[in-house]
Amino acid sequence: MSVIPVPKSLPHDSAWTHVTGKSEFIDDRPRLRNELVVGLVYSDRAHAKLKKIDFSQALRCEGIEGVFSASDFSHNIWGTIFQDQPLLADQRVHYVGEVILVIAAQTQTQIDAAKRKIKIEYEDLSPILSIQQAIREQSFIAPERKIERGDVDFGMAASDRKLEGHLVIQGAEHFYLESQAAVVYPCDNGSLEIHCSVQHPTEVQHVVSHGLGLTSKDVVVIVKRMGGGFGGKESQGAPIAAYAALVAHKLGRPARLILNKDDDMIMTGKRNPFEIDYKVGFNRDGQIIALDAQLFSDGGAYADLSTSIMERAMLHCDNAYYIPHMRVRGRVCKTHFHPHTAFRGFGGPKGVLMIERIMEEIAFHLGVDALQVRKMNCYREGFDITHYGQKVENNRLPELLHECDEKADYFLRRREIEEFNKTSLRTGGQTLRGLSLTAVKFGISFTTRFLNQGNALINVYRDGSVQVSTGATEMGQGVYARIAQLVSEELGVDTKWIQVMPTSTEKNANTSPTAASSGTDINGAAASLACQQIKARLSELFIQLQKRPLERWASKTAGLGTEPEINVETHVPMQDIFQPAEFFSIHFENGEVFDPKNPTFRISFKDLCNEAYLNRISLCEYAHYKIPNLSFNKITGQVAPLNDEKMGGAFLYFTQGAAASEVSINRDTGEVKVLRTDILMDLGRPVNYALDVGQISGAFVQGMGWMTTENLFYSSTGKLLSHSPSTYKIPSVHDTPRDFRIHLIENNGNYSNLRGTKAVGEPPLLLSVSVWTAILDAIRSTRTDAFPDLVVPATAERVLEALTPGGLDVALKQLMN
Ligand code: MTE
Ligand code: QUE
Ligand code: MOS
């Protein structure tokens, strides 16, 4: 890898157009004259038989061009991992929001009018509307999974102390600003061009072609950008595109489907709710000996990604801590809610919430500080094998805990807070404070091995400008800017010469979702590999040109054909992404190409490209990249040795960090304020420092919302009642930590990944757990008997309840008086 200084913080490629309102989202596409609006009719029952569907009246309404039902799809079935979900409900509905009919009209008003003429008769069946009910009725998706290391029963017996607990974690809404949306154009020979807002264009291509009885070649899916995805557009964008595609396919006219916010929130799944039972054994100084955990998640009505999410939860139950004897069991419950799905962190945060709660609980029990318990149990030299058998390489956790502690003045503030709370409790003060420092160790790679591959297409033009196409989708995280910077570093040309093109299945086939924080890792590596191939050819050409007088170069003679062509047959073996970039010791820097041994002879990148074209040397390249050394066996729950006897991993590496949060809780109202947060993260050698800090602050604040105010509220019949910004409270700028400090540690040692970088997209969300544990800490100060129980999110009502002996009723009465 050539080490070329590049602007480390290139602005996001859409920064300017976002703030000036010029960025084009799906519904900003100009309407075509014959374009149709698509509307959806969905179930208002959680579980029912569809006795009768009558849309004959609707068909007669003005402007209605078609109404479609399950039988209109060639294959009415889809699903990312398991094909278990109908595109349109048939015979039965299994959740409120399940789509039954697709309507096509000239205008939205006509759709609204037609909807009122549709008669659906239901016969209600009894729904399963909680994890506990699902367990009672043994309603599950997929068998139980188990990951086990050591001897848990022995470990428990050998422990001085034991604790048991039950943790309830609610789901959360993604709240992307651009709703699910698709515009579909019918093209030649029955093919379709789909523009949609999704993280997984290849999945849309699959679902649409299968649903309509087409093949992949008949469907092109293009994603220019999303107005946020956060995991909510990984699987669930596909059926939306399929409904619009159905109309375009059946009626041969362009079709547009844009969900409004309420429908989007009602129809689409959220973060899986979890309930966790745990038992932990530890010795007198707080060393954990054994952990036995049973995780249940609410998968909703269909499998979606829930089994992979559960797996990631199970793989993150250790978080930053070495636990010698450990058993984790996981089971996904089948209920009658919208199918829950990926959300930033996937299952990770659920496992982390449990173990970080346990850290606080052990400290409470022993009367010591929770940070001491954390430090004592932290992964370190000699204690660095996870419960699934992977060694934690390049482990910076002890240092992160130590430095975060110092940066945050943890122990000083701990004493101040103790004083403050004592005074507040004595004098009837209005607030209490809490402080907590939590860690994160997030595994980077998809745990499903085949997803860890990507490809890239690089087109270099005669003028030296470059187009880059990969499978990565841009959802605001900055993956285009990062890939542009990687290509710029590789080719030694300024980023203004590089354009990352809208993601399209036409240019990059068989892509993985942009997910698991691996967008830059996978697609950036493929792009770098492709650049290296082009550089190899250009380097060889450069060497040849050095030997030829200028007047005999192709740019002077090609039209006449008087000179022999320069032939270049260089191909770099692709397996090693750490290929020294200086093939034949030729350097590509600042838009120029030269040999450092003879630096006076230089050719501009641009002129060299033109020369290459005239000598009929290809300036384009395609490359494929796969993440090496992955060997996680889902059946055994353990990593296996690789062919060469070396141990493989479930993950390529871990992104690590720590955060200390201080909260203030109002004793009268339960309201929570985050006074200060100090975050320290290890992102290796970031490609773009500013974008990474943006990801850290964004993920943390998004997580804070889940930890504190975002309360999904369902009726007793399974209807989501909090389906708009007025009833679902995401953080505003006022809710962000009053004092918010973000630092990165220096780490040049992540040799496993392209240019030593570490993925950032999801890991910092898991640090928001520190806000929840800080609330636990504040509540703890009011009692000595039992450690507080607190549901996630810790809403004001729940905090108030936990603060008041006698519960919420008593608290409310006190508040009234
Ligand atoms: N940042 C913004 N602004 N918008 C998003 O939708 N999604 C997150 C994260 N950061 C998201 C985001 C999620 S869930 C993932 S997996 C990663 O971005 C995906 O992108 P990456 O792999 O390029 O980091
Ligand atoms: C993290 C992820 C995903 C994951 C595993 C992770 C993810 C995803 C899948 C997945 C698994 C099986 C499939 C499939 C997708 O696994 O996003 O199509 O068959 O989609 O650890 O983010
Ligand atoms: Mo992110 S939840 O992996 O899309």
Side-chain angles (χ1 to χ4, degrees), residues 199 230-231 234 342-344 514-516 762:
Q199 292 169 245
F230 308 112
E234 193 177 324
F343 193 158
R344 210 169 192 172
T514 308
E762 295 166 284

Side-chain angles (χ1 to χ4, degrees), residues 396-411:
R396 307 299 294 267
L397 284 165
E399 173 188 345
L400 283 160
L401 285 181
H402 178 73
E403 277 190 32
C404 188
D405 161 8
E406 291 204 332
K407 282 208 155 55
D409 279 325
Y410 181 91
F411 285 99

Side-chain angles (χ1 to χ4, degrees), residues 12 174 176 199 226-232 234 342-346 472-480 482 513-521 523 694-695 698-699 702 759-762:
H12 192 289
H174 302 84
Y176 33 67
Q199 292 169 245
M226 282 158 270
F230 308 112
E234 193 177 324
F343 193 158
R344 210 169 192 172
F346 223 53
T473 56
E474 176 60 51
M475 57 194 101
Q477 85 277 40
V479 70
Y480 282 11
R482 287 193 186 84
T514 308
S517 303
S518 61
T520 300
D521 282 21
N523 297 283
Q695 284 290 294
Q702 186 168 43
V760 65
E762 295 166 284

Side-chain angles (χ1 to χ4, degrees), residues 36-65:
L36 294 172
V37 180
V38 181
L40 304 175
V41 176
Y42 57 72
S43 167
D44 62 3
R45 308 300 164 92
H47 190 199
K49 264 193 198 142
L50 286 169
K51 281 183 66 186
K52 200 166 139 203
I53 304 170
D54 178 5
F55 52 81
S56 53
Q57 296 278 323
L59 274 174
R60 283 196 281 276
C61 289
E62 197 202 330
I64 298 300
E65 303 283 339

Side-chain angles (χ1 to χ4, degrees), residues 171-176 199 228-234 269-272 305 309 312 316 341-350 352-353 440 442 475-478 482 514-518 681 691-704 706-707 710 759-769:
E173 159 64 30
H174 302 84
F175 228 97
Y176 33 67
Q199 292 169 245
F230 308 112
K233 293 171 180 173
E234 193 177 324
K270 326 260 161 253
R271 190 186 280 285
N272 297 84
L305 297 166
I309 293 164
R312 187 167 276 269
H316 283 74
T341 193
F343 193 158
R344 210 169 192 172
F346 223 53
K350 281 71 103 173
V352 169
L353 272 162
V440 64
F442 195 81
M475 57 194 101
Q477 85 277 40
R482 287 193 186 84
T514 308
S517 303
S518 61
M681 287 202 75
L691 286 178
D692 281 9
V693 171
Q695 284 290 294
I696 294 173
S697 53
F700 184 86
V701 173
Q702 186 168 43
M704 266 179 56
W706 175 34
M707 293 300 128
E710 296 183 29
V760 65
E762 295 166 284
L765 183 135
L766 287 82
L767 292 174
S768 66
V769 168

